[in-house]
Amino acid sequence: MCDILLARGYLAEGESAIAFPTDLTSVLSGASVAQLRSWRSTELLRPEVQQHPRVLYSFRDVLALRTFVRLRRHVSLQKIRRAMASLRDYDLTDHPASYKLVADHGSILLLQDDSITDLVTRKGQELLGTMEDVLAPFENMQGDIVVDFRRPRPNLEVRERRMGGWPTISGTRIPYNNIALLLQDGSVAPDEVHEFYPSVSAAAAIDAVNFDGTVRRLQGD
């Protein structure tokens, strides 16, 4: 079961944010646990929160990873690495999630307010995607559907300003895994959850359990 983790130390004094464990990061980003491990070891993306003793990702880490997964449908991992290197060459050193990156004719383009920069081949300007596409459901290179980032299940939501981006029951601040834990031993049925959480419907409870099951299957990988 995923616990809500508060990350401190990389934010301004007095601030805190949700930290995402590897299994939940995998489901929300579309990157496999093995890919996350490889990308950490080769420093394609170093977790912003911590790597030891437990790997924890930030909200914008997850967005950056999701961008990489989407780009990987169209270009090689080598080109993604070259694009990240190009950002550094241009002294663009903010977090990768700060940039809009899209694939175009085998290259990767950086979209800025008044310019389009080719980060790989320096050719082509016809765009194939936007940040909206990154957040929406899409098919990865293995043919699996990556969840809608903002709504990973019909009754679950991800909002950066709500619980730091931890998935919650739609319209509430109730973490999905709180509901899954309540239903775990079978003593409470989905249509009884409202007795404990009046704002949670049976359908939302079922979605929470379903999503939690998806995340739990990745634990230990």
Side-chain angles (χ1 to χ4, degrees), residues 46 166 196:
R46 180 181 297 177
W166 193 269
F196 301 86

Side-chain angles (χ1 to χ4, degrees), residues 35-51:
Q35 284 176 313
L36 293 175
R37 186 182 303 115
S38 173
W39 295 351
R40 289 195 305 273
S41 66
T42 57
E43 297 196 352
L44 176 60
L45 188 138
R46 180 181 297 177
E48 190 174 26
V49 182
Q50 67 181 41
Q51 294 193 72

